[in-house]
Structures are given as structure tokens and as C-alpha cells.
Amino acid sequence: TSDGGVYTFGNAQFFGSIYNIPNAPNKTPVAIATTPNDGGYYILTADGAVYTFGNAQFNGSIYNIPNVPVSTTVAFSLTPNGNGYYLVTKDGTVYTFGTAQFQGSMYNIPNPPVKTSVAFKLSSHTSGDGGYYIFTTDGGVYTFGTAKFIGSVAGLNISPVSVQ
């Protein structure tokens, strides 16, 4: 929930939440991801903090990295093996932790039409985690590593709301 609470349904297990963590700097969650064996989960907050529960392994966060603006984290994705993860900020900067492989980011693209990222997804067209996509508010799709570009809705005056 928006205050950091976690509710489980069906056979999902509850491992904790950030709701009751005292002095958490910014408890506004922007993403949650389960471990590959469903034995835990990660919660990412807007300020770049990563909280781990159950068997989720903490590999770092951007919360304490100097010169990263607060309240800018928008996306989180685990590596296929669950031993690393990616954090992505609004300007499209990609941060890697654990075994996640850096393949580039929007930050390195000169003069992109829109630099407001809304989502991140590992490529299913590659083996392992050799590529990924960054999606922007104008419907743009940017590919990195071995991810294949297959189109976007940029320029069609459409605002995408989610990425699956």
C-alpha cells in the first residue's frame, strides 16, 4: 500500500512490511518483487531504498549514493537467478547490484525526446540478463544490451500506463 503495508492473499506468504519500520526515511513504495522461489520479497521506495524480507538478499541501494536526487526511483527488476537487481530513476539512469549487468541507460543518450522513465523490463528475447528495455512517458521504448527493438507508441499522442 502507499504507506508501506503488505497484504497477502491466497497462498502468498507474509514476511513483513515497511509500515512499522521506525525512522524509515521515505516509506513511499514504488515497486515490489518476489524472489524466484517465492520465499521472500523486495520493496523499493521512491528514495531508492531497498528493503528485503524473507529470503530476499540485500545487494545495495541508491539511497546512500551521493548526488542521486531523492524521490526519483521508479522501477525495480530482479535478475533471472535472483542474485542481483536493477534500480531505475526517472531520468533513466540504471543502477545495478549483485549479479545484474549494466548495459547502458537513458542518462547516456544525447538529447532523447523525453527523459522521464516510467518502467523497466528485462528482455525475454535474450538468455540470462543480457538486455533490457526502458519505457518513457511519451511511449518511447529504449533498448540496451541484446534487447531487440520491436516498436513503440512514441509520437502517437498516447500515454502508456503500464508495462507487462
Side-chain angles (χ1 to χ4, degrees):
T1 61
S2 62
D3 63 1
V6 173
Y7 296 88
T8 59
F9 301 93
N11 63 357
Q13 294 182 354
F14 179 76
F15 297 104
S17 72
I18 60 176
Y19 177 76
N20 292 325
I21 295 177
N23 304 320
N26 179 349
K27 294 194 279 187
T28 305
V30 294
I32 188 168
T34 60
T35 59
N37 66 359
D38 293 330
Y41 45 81
Y42 299 82
I43 298 176
L44 171 69
T45 58
D47 61 2
V50 175
Y51 295 88
T52 58
F53 299 91
N55 69 357
Q57 178 182 348
F58 181 76
N59 289 307
S61 72
I62 62 174
Y63 175 71
N64 292 324
I65 296 176
N67 302 320
V68 175
V70 175
S71 299
T72 62
T73 312
V74 296
F76 177 88
S77 184
L78 285 174
T79 58
N81 64 12
N83 294 326
Y85 44 83
Y86 300 84
L87 302 183
V88 184
T89 59
K90 282 184 183 178
D91 68 359
T93 303
V94 175
Y95 295 89
T96 58
F97 298 91
T99 60
Q101 299 174 7
F102 181 76
Q103 302 290 335
S105 69
M106 294 286 295
Y107 185 80
N108 305 41
I109 296 176
N111 303 316
V114 172
K115 284 187 81 169
T116 304
S117 302
V118 292
F120 174 88
K121 182 163 178 53
L122 290 176
S123 172
S124 58
H125 300 146
T126 62
S127 60
D129 62 350
Y132 46 79
Y133 303 91
I134 295 178
F135 302 87
T136 59
T137 54
D138 70 341
V141 177
Y142 293 84
T143 60
F144 299 90
T146 57
K148 297 178 184 176
F149 179 74
I150 53 177
S152 74
V153 295
L156 298 178
N157 208 16
I158 299 171
S159 295
V161 292
S162 70
V163 175
Q164 300 297 323

